[in-house]
Amino acid sequence: DLIKGKNIENISPDFWERLEEKLLVSDVGVNITRHIISTLQNAVKKKDPKLIWNEVERELVSLLSIPYSYDEKFFPLKNDVKDFPLVVMVVGVNGTGKTSFIAKLANYYKEKNLSVILGAGDTYRAAAIEQLTYWAEKLSIPIVKQNMGSDSAAVAFDTINSAISKKIDVAIIDTAGRMHNKNNLIQELQKVEKVIKKHHIELPQEKILILDATYGQNSIQQTKIFTEAINITGVAVTKMDTTFKAGFVFSITSSLGIPIKFMTFGENIDDIQPFEPKEFVKNLLE
Amino acid sequence: KLVDSFSKIVKGLSGKGKISKEEIEQTIREIRIALLEADVHLNVVRDLTLKIKEDVEKLESSEFFTPSQLIIRSTRDKILEILGGEATKLEINKNPSIILMVGLQGSGKTTTTAKLAYYFKEQGYNPVVVAADFNRPAAIDQLVHISTTNSIPVVFDKNSNSMNIVKKAVEEAKEKGYNPIIVDTAGRIHVDQEVLDEIKKLKEKFDVEHTILVIDAMIGQEGVSVAQKFDESINLSGFIVTKMDGDTRGGVALSIRYITGKPLYFIGVGEKITDLEVFHPDRVVSRILG
Ligand SMILES: Nc1nc2c(ncn2[C@@H]2O[C@H](COP(=O)(O)OP(=O)(O)OP(=O)(O)O)[C@@H](O)[C@H]2O)c(=O)[nH]1
Ligand SMILES: Nc1nc2c(ncn2[C@@H]2O[C@H](COP(=O)(O)OP(=O)(O)OP(=O)(O)O)[C@@H](O)[C@H]2O)c(=O)[nH]1
Ligand SMILES: [Mg+2]
Ligand SMILES: [Mg+2]
């Protein structure tokens, strides 16, 4: 019923209040909400009030549109290291959907007729290796793993070794969930990246941070810390079917400059989509 | 951080003596922002700031307190009151007592199931856990691993289903004297009535004493809807908030208490079996307010 604002001659002050509320309950956060409202109020002063709804959508879409380079073969990801597989390192806090995302991403590339190998880099959590192995078997793709308790960096290194020797297009490395405020765990992640770089300094080409769509403002702090540690190249937002909101993405793109590359919408293997800002904004404002 | 921003508000106010109406408005506004940034639900923030404002306006002419002191104390008191003043004990009265662990995907149910069993074991009980998640790959392996590593008996059968495995667990409990029976279930979304029905059916068939919602401390505004929908559909006993060892302010603890009035029994503070703490409201107020 915010649609009431669509074609009105004069914008009621109530419209701005209701837009603000809509944004806040969608986890957009206080600062970004204020910025959006004031930008729109200025824009609307100069234009025909009848176009205000398009203006709202346009402003929100532009906040989410971070230009980034990708190649057709691996869209929306990029492999600019000749003669090497695309290495994707997947990280994030506990339970956000990293392992499930890897299965979906593997299938996504498989459907593009690319070859994929998985690295069971979560050598810490109970049954983490079994969980990823299930998906490897279901997708009939190779997986490199060692025993629980082994060195995560060693598994990552071996996975890339296999990818190179078997000429596999994509190597996706799973890591254990970790709280970003635990320094030793963040350092471990830096070690995994360092070991991967022994293959080639520009590996891994992609470091994807998984953010849970149901999370609130803490997602911003998570993104800051993980980016400071290993330079995140893109975010995948999971569990969009649980909430359809994930308003924190505006802060991730406009304040932190990190592109959203994927979203997942359920527990099925094909519930994955490259991020589409217009589609996302339409659903948010529904 | 809410702790930083709230102490900034407090520093701005303390020792100021009498303050103007504008300053009261400004302070209330800052409190509102601080609470929203702590992921407290918008409706809860509205009600709370309204109540604080009423408090302050009624007593503005008090000779004992300055408006600044009132605002600070009123905020603390109201939040503490909502959180429940004191810890609420999870009581077991049935034998065997069946406890269902429910919640969104990835919230920490499996880990918390084992932690809760460990807690009861330390309290002198003889708990058993039940692997009733037949949806997630290796879910049963996960619970079996954590349980056997910590010498907690576990009832599982990869070829069963939730109804039959709980039946088996109840039989085994009566036979071996286990109590309580803690059931790990599959993650499910609050907006899918069909999956909520699975829990309803379990409660119709078995004498469930407690249904506990396991919820992630990092959840945002959706937390209230999750708590409400689960509560309306399957009637919760209370909550456990996990991952409080992160640096999220955990405003969801306040919101779900305010909206449902149901107790918050424990918080999860890490991945180890011992990382379960009884929820102490005063400690979480400090976290939310500093
Ligand atoms: N509804 C829904 N559930 C999801 C989605 N993505 C993942 N999940 C579920 O979330 C839960 C956690 O997923 P995992 O892949 O194990 O998460 P993780 O980040 O690897 O967890 P840790 O390794 O323990 O940190 C599982 O039950 C998944 O099925 C999604 O898009 N929608
Ligand atoms: N740091 C921290 N991690 C936790 C806590 N509780 C659970 N975890 C971790 O969060 C992740 C998810 O926990 P699970 O127990 O698998 O969650 P779940 O609700 O059973 O997930 P599904 O069955 O897929 O719905 C795992 O990596 C756990 O180790 C906690 O209190 N603190
Ligand atoms: Mg995982
Ligand atoms: Mg589980």
Side-chain angles (χ1 to χ4, degrees):
Chain A
D1 68 339
L2 268 180
I3 305 300
K4 289 213 185 82
K6 245 184 179 159
N7 286 308
I8 47 175
E9 289 301 326
N10 297 303
I11 301 151
S12 59
D14 163 66
F15 170 82
W16 296 115
E17 251 186 64
R18 286 191 295 148
L19 178 61
E20 182 196 52
E21 169 171 335
K22 179 125 193 116
L23 294 174
L24 285 174
V25 298
S26 302
D27 292 315
V28 173
V30 175
N31 290 334
I32 299 280
T33 299
R34 275 181 173 168
H35 164 84
I36 291 170
I37 301 279
S38 65
T39 307
L40 282 166
Q41 285 173 333
N42 289 329
V44 158
K45 279 196 193 108
K46 314 184 193 121
K47 287 203 171 128
D48 177 354
K50 287 214 199 80
L51 298 175
I52 181 177
W53 201 246
N54 296 335
E55 205 57 34
V56 171
E57 282 191 0
R58 228 174 45 80
E59 176 62 20
L60 292 179
V61 170
S62 81
L63 284 174
L64 293 175
S65 306
I66 293 254
Y68 62 87
S69 56
Y70 56 85
D71 42 36
E72 287 305 325
K73 186 175 183 190
F74 298 106
F75 174 77
L77 304 185
K78 180 171 193 246
N79 181 4
D80 46 8
V81 188
K82 255 170 109 318
D83 304 328
F84 275 86
L86 167 64
V87 178
V88 185
M89 192 176 160
V90 178
V91 303
V93 305
N94 305 74
T96 47
K98 297 176 289 302
T99 306
S100 311
F101 173 76
I102 289 170
K104 292 176 172 107
L105 185 65
N107 187 57
Y108 174 82
Y109 281 131
K110 216 179 149 227
E111 307 225 301
K112 286 174 168 243
N113 291 317
L114 297 175
S115 52
V116 184
I117 187 169
L118 303 183
D122 180 354
T123 53
Y124 171 75
R125 203 209 69 209
I129 297 170
E130 286 86 330
Q131 185 186 2
L132 192 63
T133 301
Y134 166 88
W135 286 114
E137 290 174 356
K138 189 129 197 281
L139 296 172
S140 310
I141 62 183
I143 178 169
V144 172
K145 52 184 167 173
Q146 293 175 20
N147 290 322
M148 187 177 162
S150 58
D151 180 18
S152 179
V155 175
F157 188 85
D158 288 352
T159 307
I160 298 167
N161 242 348
S162 283
I164 293 168
S165 65
K166 296 183 178 146
K167 301 215 186 332
I168 295 177
D169 299 309
V170 188
I172 314 176
I173 313 290
D174 196 6
T175 62
R178 68 203 65 224
M179 283 300 167
H180 50 294
N181 60 338
K182 304 202 168 147
N183 279 324
N184 58 323
L185 299 184
I186 294 297
Q187 283 171 5
E188 180 197 51
L189 217 50
Q190 289 174 318
K191 174 171 167 244
V192 172
E193 190 188 25
K194 193 153 173 265
V195 166
I196 289 175
K197 287 193 180 309
K198 289 189 178 154
H199 278 294
H200 189 293
I201 194 71
E202 293 190 28
L203 261 48
Q205 296 90 325
E206 295 278 356
K207 286 154 278 184
I208 303 292
L209 173 66
I210 307 298
L211 293 177
D212 187 321
T214 65
Y215 282 3
Q217 299 310 301
N218 194 248
S219 1
I220 299 161
Q221 183 64 7
Q222 291 172 29
T223 309
K224 280 201 187 122
I225 301 291
F226 276 95
T227 297
E228 273 168 28
I230 60 166
N231 239 310
I232 297 295
T233 60
V235 162
V237 180
T238 58
K239 308 182 196 172
M240 282 297 291
D241 51 314
T242 312
T243 169
F244 293 110
K245 294 172 187 169
F248 56 77
V249 293
F250 292 99
S251 299
I252 307 299
T253 54
S254 65
S255 308
L256 302 179
I258 298 183
I260 312 292
K261 294 190 175 175
F262 286 103
M263 287 197 151
T264 71
F265 299 84
E267 298 187 88
N268 293 325
I269 198 81
D270 51 7
D271 286 329
I272 177 174
Q273 300 275 1
F275 179 60
E276 189 15 78
K278 290 201 185 71
E279 210 45 43
F280 174 81
V281 170
K282 274 206 163 52
N283 283 323
L284 184 76
L285 295 177
E286 214 99 281
Chain B
K1 274 176 149 280
L2 180 52
V3 169
D4 295 342
S5 58
F6 208 79
S7 55
K8 240 197 260 131
I9 297 170
V10 169
K11 282 210 182 72
L13 287 182
S14 2
K16 255 196 169 201
K18 288 231 168 276
I19 55 177
S20 65
K21 216 166 180 59
E22 291 77 30
E23 274 179 296
I24 292 174
E25 288 288 342
Q26 177 58 22
T27 306
I28 301 278
R29 217 171 302 141
E30 287 175 19
I31 290 174
R32 178 173 182 267
I33 291 171
L35 292 174
L36 284 173
E37 291 187 330
D39 295 323
V40 178
H41 195 268
L42 186 61
N43 295 345
V44 179
V45 174
R46 283 212 178 109
D47 285 6
L48 196 61
T49 49
L50 203 67
K51 291 199 178 117
I52 294 168
K53 205 162 171 250
E54 287 172 1
D55 247 18
V56 175
E57 283 169 352
K58 259 194 254 134
L59 300 171
E60 232 186 300
S61 54
S62 157
E63 57 190 67
F64 299 112
F65 296 106
T66 63
S68 56
Q69 288 171 319
L70 279 173
I71 294 173
I72 296 160
R73 207 180 67 170
S74 173
T75 308
R76 261 203 99 81
D77 289 350
K78 299 247 176 315
I79 291 181
L80 191 58
E81 186 183 350
I82 293 168
L83 288 178
E86 303 172 6
T88 307
K89 194 159 191 289
L90 179 60
E91 299 279 358
I92 302 292
N93 294 311
K94 303 195 181 199
N95 194 344
S97 170
I98 300 176
I99 302 174
L100 297 185
M101 307 290 278
V102 302
L104 295 179
Q105 286 85 349
S107 55
K109 296 174 295 300
T110 304
T111 312
T112 308
T113 296
K115 286 179 181 177
L116 193 59
Y118 186 83
Y119 165 83
F120 278 115
K121 206 166 110 173
E122 296 283 284
Q123 298 267 313
Y125 288 86
N126 187 12
V128 64
V129 299
V130 188
D133 178 355
F134 296 92
N135 178 51
R136 167 175 158 154
I140 296 176
D141 291 325
Q142 186 185 1
L143 185 65
V144 168
H145 180 100
I146 308 174
S147 314
T148 42
T149 306
N150 292 287
S151 310
I152 294 167
V154 48
V155 174
F156 70 101
D157 176 354
K158 292 184 183 180
N159 298 313
S160 184
N161 57 55
S162 51
M163 281 295 200
N164 289 336
I165 199 68
V166 173
K167 180 161 178 277
K168 181 166 192 248
V170 173
E171 290 165 358
E172 211 163 308
K174 295 195 171 138
E175 185 188 320
K176 297 182 180 163
Y178 292 141
N179 189 32
I181 300 169
I182 309 172
V183 184
D184 182 24
T185 67
R188 67 201 66 228
I189 63 180
H190 56 309
V191 291
D192 185 344
Q193 199 48 51
E194 200 176 313
V195 296
L196 290 172
D197 283 348
E198 183 199 21
I199 303 295
K200 268 200 191 133
K201 291 203 183 83
L202 281 173
K203 295 182 73 160
E204 284 166 6
K205 175 141 192 226
F206 301 100
D207 186 13
V208 172
E209 182 169 17
H210 290 295
T211 307
I212 299 180
L213 180 71
V214 176
I215 189 161
D216 194 322
M218 295 177 273
I219 202 168
Q221 296 286 314
E222 195 67 21
V224 158
S225 174
V226 173
Q228 271 179 319
K229 294 228 162 63
F230 268 88
D231 196 21
E232 285 165 10
S233 236
I234 62 179
N235 191 27
L236 303 171
S237 304
F239 309 96
I240 293 177
V241 176
T242 61
K243 309 180 199 172
M244 287 286 267
D245 48 313
D247 59 8
T248 191
R249 273 128 67 163
V252 65
L254 187 60
S255 307
I256 61 182
R257 280 282 308 147
Y258 182 76
I259 297 290
T260 68
K262 304 235 161 151
L264 208 170
Y265 299 111
F266 299 97
I267 57 172
V269 292
E271 297 188 76
K272 300 196 301 295
I273 197 89
T274 46
D275 288 332
L276 188 71
E277 290 180 1
V278 171
F279 171 66
H280 288 289
D282 54 344
R283 289 182 210 161
V284 172
V285 182
S286 314
R287 184 190 182 109
I288 296 182
L289 291 185

